[in-house]
Amino acid sequence: MSPRLSHSAALILKALSLDYCFGFEIMEVTGLPSGTVYPALRRLERDKLVDSHWESDADAEARGRPSRRYHTITEAGKAANLAASDRYPLLSRLLPEKST
């Protein structure tokens, strides 16, 4: 059974499912503040709905910025995202597809 997610957590999972993968990018696309996004990402990771890893210092330095923590949605997170989409039908309209 998928956990019941708050609207904010569901929105973050939706963003992750669309390949928005680091905190600031998730904040920009969802409009949620950092005080919501980062604690929610930690809870989602604790609940095994999200995995994360730090970018190497060398990669960040080559791009002239601080290291980023990248987040990916897990299989359990994908199932929770589908359940949240049923619970919050407007989620599918709130976030744009990521352009590559």
Side-chain angles (χ1 to χ4, degrees), residues 47-88:
D47 294 343
K48 309 268 189 258
L49 302 178
V50 170
D51 283 328
S52 69
H53 71 277
W54 281 99
E55 171 183 43
S56 74
D57 290 337
D59 286 346
E61 189 174 309
R63 291 174 175 82
R65 56 174 168 69
S67 294
R68 292 176 174 167
R69 186 172 188 136
Y70 287 96
H71 299 84
T72 55
I73 191 168
T74 64
E75 289 302 316
K78 290 176 185 177
N81 180 50
L82 287 174
S85 294
D86 289 342
R87 184 172 179 208
Y88 302 115

Side-chain angles (χ1 to χ4, degrees), residues 39-50:
L41 284 168
R42 286 192 296 276
R43 284 189 301 276
L44 291 168
E45 189 168 10
R46 178 202 64 205
D47 294 343
K48 309 268 189 258
L49 302 178
V50 170

Side-chain angles (χ1 to χ4, degrees), residues 1-6 87:
M1 182 175 161
S2 295
R4 288 182 58 109
L5 300 172
S6 68
R87 184 172 179 208

Side-chain angles (χ1 to χ4, degrees), residues 24-43:
F24 189 74
E25 186 176 52
I26 293 167
M27 289 168 31
E28 283 185 326
V29 74
T30 63
L32 296 171
S34 62
T36 298
V37 170
Y38 291 107
L41 284 168
R42 286 192 296 276
R43 284 189 301 276

